[in-house]
Structure formats: structure tokens, C-alpha cells
Amino acid sequence: EEKSNAVLPEQIYAVNIKLTRREQQVFGMSANGLPIKIIAAELGLSERTVEKHRANIMAKANVKNMIEAIVHIQNSNDNIEI
């Protein structure tokens, strides 16, 4: 069976993700493996606020966890816009 080279919707949804400046900061720190507690302390935010930013990032990437968000966004060829 031959595989099609067609681009499936799930392969392109991360390409046009628009993150706010703060979401980009939280995303970058999360992608570097920092826990929510450290991100909150570094950015002067509550842990709940960091959790909300991460939830917003996951919703925009249409994924269920931050690992998937990181993979999909980083694989989108750096097409992240503010």
C-alpha cells in the first residue's frame, strides 16, 4: 500500500499558532524543562497563572499536554507569531 504525501490537518495545525509575549515566555521556559513553580518565581507570577498560560498554549496547539505542544510548536518551523 502506497502512502499519500498529502498533508493532513493534524500536521498543519501548529503552523499558525499565535502566542502572546507572556505565553512565549512560559512556552520557552517549559520547553527548557523548567517546572511551573520555577517559571512562576522567575516571571513574578502565581503558579495558577503559569498553569493558565500553559493551558492556553495547549488549547492553541490543539493538544492535550505540554510535551505535545512543545513538539508540535517546535516542529512548526518557528512560525510562531506574537
Side-chain angles (χ1 to χ4, degrees):
E1 177 179 313
E2 283 188 43
K3 289 192 174 188
S4 170
N5 287 331
V7 177
L8 302 173
E10 62 268 21
Q11 294 172 310
I12 62 171
Y13 65 76
V15 174
N16 293 315
I17 295 171
K18 292 183 180 163
L19 300 179
T20 65
R21 182 181 62 82
R22 185 62 92 186
E23 288 169 350
Q24 287 182 5
Q25 290 174 320
V26 170
F27 174 79
M29 296 173 89
S30 296
N32 285 322
L34 294 176
I36 290 171
K37 190 174 214 171
I38 302 297
I39 295 170
E42 291 279 324
L43 298 178
L45 302 172
S46 74
E47 290 178 34
R48 179 67 188 110
T49 300
V50 173
E51 289 171 358
K52 181 62 177 165
H53 286 308
R54 287 170 54 124
N56 290 343
I57 292 165
M58 290 183 283
K60 288 179 179 184
N62 194 26
V63 296
K64 294 181 176 140
N65 61 59
M66 275 306 289
I67 300 298
E68 288 180 5
I70 291 164
V71 169
H72 286 297
I73 291 172
Q74 288 181 339
N75 286 342
S76 71
N77 298 321
D78 299 320
N79 289 330
I80 300 173
E81 299 176 21
I82 297 172

